[in-house]
Amino acid sequence: MKNVISAVCIKCGAEVAPTPDITVCPHCGGLLDIKYDYKYIASKVTAKDISERRDYSMWRYREFLPVEENTPNTPLRVGWSPFYEVPKLAEVLGIKQLWIKDDGINPTGSLKDRASAMAVAKAMEAKADTIACSSTGNAASSLAGNAAAAGLKTYIFVPSRAPKGKVAQLMIFGANVISVEGSYEETFRLSAEAIDRWGWYNRNAAINPYLVEGKKTVSLEIAEQLGFRMPDYVAVSVGDGCTIAGVWKGFKDLYQAGIIDRLPRLISVQAAGCCPLNTELQTGKPWQPMEENTIADSIAVGVPRNPDKALNAVRESNGIAVNVTDEEILGAMRLLGRTCGLFGEPAGVTGAAGIKKARQTGLIPADATVVGIISGNGLKDVNNAIKAAGEPISIAPDMKLLLEAFDKKGFNLK
Ligand SMILES: *Cc1c(COP(=O)(O)O)cnc(C)c1O
Ligand SMILES: [Zn+2]
């Protein structure tokens, strides 16, 4: 990899050779961060080169990705998700300009596909035939799908609370699924022990430093889809913290390669019922484990796995932290559906809920330009969607009953 220099420990600064199967720092156990040669990257690619490419997937940014030149693109089409300017929603929220990046349209329905495609590419480089992870649900289903497409076996650990839609995906993709009667934290620990024992390729959040590099492609796309002109703010829903760390890495990469000339500020959005990282950002006191008390299962992470990269990202960007209640999350599901035709799962719309809250509380000004990311598809968790939107009119097939029902609803039909 001519574009990669090393993997640097974010705790002790040790530099490690970037082999495909590295996990944490061999000296202190700290998380690793992939370090690039931006001079080399800038000599190889310009904004114009990128714009002319016809590979409409995350692999269009190969110069920025930690893969060998001869590593093939992974089979599923991950990335290049739609990017919508949403003036109606901007008006409702009282924001000058707003865009939504819909990462729920990825092949398995979440932004996690970006990390899982990267994990599959690196597992192939490592000549592994089995990959494992623990996950609140989306990392699992995305790994299962991307691995199935590439012909790799998977062992996947999920907490038993994972929504049916996500578990159904796992079963369809042929994963070996272990549903753990415990919290995400307990699930994670069991998976780590099993991975150690059987030597599977490790796709656990944060532990594998390449995952963030896959996730950062969402920012490379946002920048490109904006013509490489940066917005003031980008809002991200936060659980383990890998996504927001990846979002920041992507923007910084482009900045360091001279492709963009300013950086946006991050809005870190967590559920009020599980917000350890935002609590540190808001109070300055070191984060403490919290209960996983929210309907937004994908970000119900009481013990975040990537706290340092996530906190650094928000602080470096001069970002802000916003917590939203489950009610506000359900409200954002309705609002996105009704003003934009977009359908996100609870954690998927938490970023958007945070934009609304940040505007209401004056944390961001009315003349701001803002990007929100929908990180997961609403069909993954239909129970909460029904909770957000209610039940339909339900009647026997009879015109009289239809008229009565319309009357009751107050529909004013001629
Ligand atoms: C995983 C996930 C997140 C948060 O990502 P982290 O890396 O855990 O912070 C947000 N939304 C959805 C839909 C997710 O699946
Ligand atoms: Zn270290």
Side-chain angles (χ1 to χ4, degrees):
M1 296 187 285
K2 292 195 193 116
N3 58 343
V4 173
I5 297 170
S6 64
V8 185
C9 174
I10 62 168
K11 237 191 194 156
C12 78
E15 297 206 25
V16 179
T19 53
D21 56 356
I22 45 172
T23 53
V24 293
C25 174
H27 309 290
C28 78
L31 299 185
L32 299 173
D33 182 47
I34 305 298
K35 180 172 159 187
Y36 293 90
D37 179 348
Y38 293 106
K39 262 212 192 105
Y40 174 81
I41 293 173
S43 77
K44 284 284 167 191
V45 69
T46 64
K48 184 161 171 290
D49 296 336
I50 293 173
S51 306
E52 286 167 356
R53 291 190 178 156
R54 303 187 60 179
D55 176 351
Y56 293 107
S57 80
M58 63 183 262
W59 299 110
R60 72 196 266 108
Y61 306 105
R62 270 197 173 250
E63 288 85 354
F64 289 93
L65 296 176
V67 288
E68 300 290 349
E69 263 167 55
N70 60 1
T71 301
N73 289 2
T74 47
L76 294 178
R77 207 277 337 245
V78 174
W80 202 252
S81 59
F83 186 71
Y84 301 109
E85 184 168 0
V86 287
K88 258 195 283 177
L89 182 58
E91 198 185 316
V92 174
L93 301 190
I95 284 169
K96 185 171 126 202
Q97 218 173 0
L98 179 63
W99 296 266
I100 300 287
K101 173 91 168 148
D102 186 7
D103 246 47
I105 66 83
N106 273 304
T108 77
S110 81
L111 189 150
K112 296 283 194 309
D113 279 331
R114 298 176 186 275
S116 291
M118 179 58 71
V120 165
K122 299 308 286 183
M124 308 265 260
E125 287 181 3
K127 309 237 179 312
D129 60 6
T130 305
I131 314 187
C133 78
S134 78
S135 156
T136 55
N138 284 331
S141 51
S142 72
L143 176 61
N146 282 277
L152 298 169
K153 277 200 299 250
T154 49
Y155 285 88
I156 290 178
F157 298 75
V158 287
S160 55
R161 65 153 200 250
K164 271 262 159 67
K166 299 179 185 181
V167 177
Q169 286 183 296
L170 294 176
M171 302 315 292
I172 284 288
F173 296 141
N176 297 302
V177 183
I178 303 96
S179 173
V180 180
E181 284 164 25
S183 67
Y184 172 51
E185 165 63 8
E186 292 164 318
T187 309
F188 190 98
R189 271 192 309 214
L190 181 62
S191 79
E193 231 177 279
I195 288 168
D196 258 4
R197 178 162 187 152
W198 285 291
W200 301 319
Y201 190 81
N202 190 336
R203 187 250 178 262
N204 266 344
I207 300 296
N208 180 330
Y210 295 111
L211 304 180
V212 162
E213 305 301 314
K215 286 188 166 185
K216 80 182 178 189
T217 57
V218 73
S219 294
L220 306 182
E221 287 174 23
I222 289 171
E224 185 178 355
Q225 287 165 319
L226 282 170
F228 298 103
R229 282 181 302 273
M230 286 298 97
D232 298 326
Y233 294 91
V234 177
V236 185
S237 71
V238 174
D240 274 313
C242 302
T243 305
I244 200 163
V247 164
W248 185 237
K249 182 87 182 263
F251 290 129
K252 270 205 326 189
D253 276 0
L254 290 173
Y255 185 78
Q256 280 164 296
I259 290 181
I260 57 173
D261 59 8
R262 74 176 183 121
L263 290 163
R265 297 172 66 179
L266 299 178
I267 306 175
S268 164
V269 191
Q270 293 207 282
C274 190
C275 53
L277 294 177
N278 276 359
T279 303
E280 170 164 342
L281 290 165
Q282 288 159 341
T283 65
K285 294 197 194 104
W287 67 271
Q288 298 291 327
M290 276 185 82
E291 274 181 47
E292 297 171 352
N293 193 1
T294 168
I295 56 162
D297 66 288
S298 314
I299 53 166
V301 179
V303 180
R305 290 286 146 194
N306 210 339
D308 296 343
K309 279 191 197 174
L311 294 168
N312 287 347
V314 181
R315 287 180 177 133
E316 247 180 67
S317 81
N318 191 22
I320 56 183
V322 185
N323 299 327
V324 291
T325 63
D326 283 358
E327 274 315 307
E328 289 168 324
I329 291 171
L330 294 170
M333 286 176 74
R334 285 190 296 272
L335 189 57
L336 280 163
R338 285 155 198 203
T339 57
C340 309
L342 296 173
F343 185 14
E345 64 169 281
V349 307
T350 297
I355 296 172
K356 180 172 182 193
K357 187 86 170 259
R359 183 65 204 101
Q360 278 171 344
T361 53
L363 277 169
I364 61 173
D367 65 354
T369 57
V370 185
V371 170
I373 300 169
I374 295 183
S375 45
N377 194 295
L379 287 173
K380 283 176 173 274
D381 182 0
V382 288
N383 287 342
N384 275 313
I386 296 286
K387 200 186 269 175
E391 300 281 349
I393 294 169
S394 176
I395 53 164
D398 179 333
M399 192 56 177
K400 211 173 115 243
L401 294 175
L402 183 62
L403 290 173
E404 277 174 27
F406 278 2
D407 256 1
K408 214 157 117 202
K409 279 263 174 190
F411 289 178
N412 193 11
L413 298 169
K414 297 254 157 62

